[in-house]
């Protein structure tokens, strides 16, 4: 029972942190773009404890539903997008880099911090993914269903007729 209570306390604390941080992020920003990470793959590395502790998948899920609630733009960038290896100035994609390489110089002459460069690339890719060629939103805003559309067949519960006999308007 003590172990179960300790696990429940940790889970509640993590969920509380996710909700507080996601609310702050969504309220402060009009658009949020995240990279869709392979959490299962990262769970097999030496970063496993940190990745699972943060609850990245649950956190991005909370961000997505809160963005919809507050009318903000939310998009996930594909996990295979080379955000850390691509130069945000010229667009050149470099060879694979080890994780200990924190800054690098592109042949175009620009010097990049790995994390800042990745953030700029995710921002550009997220904007491109959420907009179509004309610059309009690809996905329409969420609109609540009219009251009469809340049920599939509102008269089906009160009728003894078969489904085929119910007129559809």
């Amino acid at each position: 029972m003590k172990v179960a209570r300790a696990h429940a306390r940790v889970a509640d604390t993590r969920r509380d942190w996710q909700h507080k941080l996601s609310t702050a992020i969504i309220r402060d920003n009009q658009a949020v773009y995240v990279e869709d990470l392979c959490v299962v793959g990262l769970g097999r590395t030496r970063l496993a404890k940190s990745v699972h502790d943060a609850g990245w998948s649950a956190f991005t899920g909370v961000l997505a539903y809160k963005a919809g609630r507050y009318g903000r733009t939310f998009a996930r960038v594909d996990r295979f997008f080379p955000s850390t290896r691509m130069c945000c100035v010229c667009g050149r994609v470099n060879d694979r880099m080890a994780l200990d390489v924190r800054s690098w110089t592109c042949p175009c002459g620009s010097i990049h911090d790995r994390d800042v460069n990745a953030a700029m690339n995710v921002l550009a890719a997220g904007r491109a993914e959420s907009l179509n060629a004309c610059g309009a939103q690809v996905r329409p805003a969420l609109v609540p269903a009219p009251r009469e559309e809340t049920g599939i067949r509102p008269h089906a519960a009160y009728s003894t007729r078969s489904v085929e006999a119910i007129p559809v308007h």
Side-chain angles (χ1 to χ4, degrees):
M1 291 300 283
K2 287 182 181 181
V3 173
R5 270 190 232 121
H7 281 289
R9 190 176 304 121
V10 169
D12 290 343
T13 304
R14 182 178 297 127
R15 231 181 343 268
D16 182 54
W17 174 82
Q18 289 174 349
H19 280 287
K20 286 179 180 176
L21 183 62
S22 63
T23 300
I25 289 171
I26 293 297
R27 284 186 178 168
D28 292 345
N29 300 289
Q30 290 294 315
V32 177
Y33 306 111
V34 297
E35 193 169 4
D36 186 24
L37 298 175
C38 179
V39 177
V40 174
L42 287 173
R44 294 184 195 131
T45 65
R46 62 185 179 91
L47 300 172
K49 188 173 188 304
S50 300
V51 169
H52 290 303
D53 249 359
W56 180 252
S57 297
F59 181 66
T60 56
V62 171
L63 274 173
Y65 98 79
K66 286 194 179 183
R69 174 187 283 176
Y70 288 101
R72 306 292 199 253
T73 302
F74 178 82
R76 285 185 173 95
V77 176
D78 186 40
R79 70 178 62 171
F80 300 110
F81 179 69
S83 60
T84 57
R85 299 182 293 132
M86 182 167 50
C87 176
C88 62
V89 177
C90 67
R92 181 178 187 273
V93 178
N94 292 322
D95 295 330
R96 296 211 177 260
M97 292 184 281
L99 284 175
D100 62 344
V101 177
R102 302 314 305 163
S103 63
W104 53 277
T105 305
C106 182
C108 72
S110 55
I111 301 171
H112 298 290
D113 176 69
R114 185 178 181 136
D115 297 328
V116 174
N117 180 60
M120 291 169 58
N121 286 331
V122 167
L123 174 64
R127 283 183 179 163
E129 183 178 310
S130 65
L131 299 177
N132 68 7
C134 299
Q137 289 288 335
V138 175
R139 294 174 192 87
L142 296 175
V143 178
R147 185 170 215 109
E148 54 274 352
E149 288 185 17
T150 56
I152 296 173
R153 292 183 293 278
H155 305 293
Y158 303 110
S159 177
T160 57
R161 296 180 288 169
S162 67
V163 175
E164 292 82 23
I166 297 174
V168 177
H169 300 288

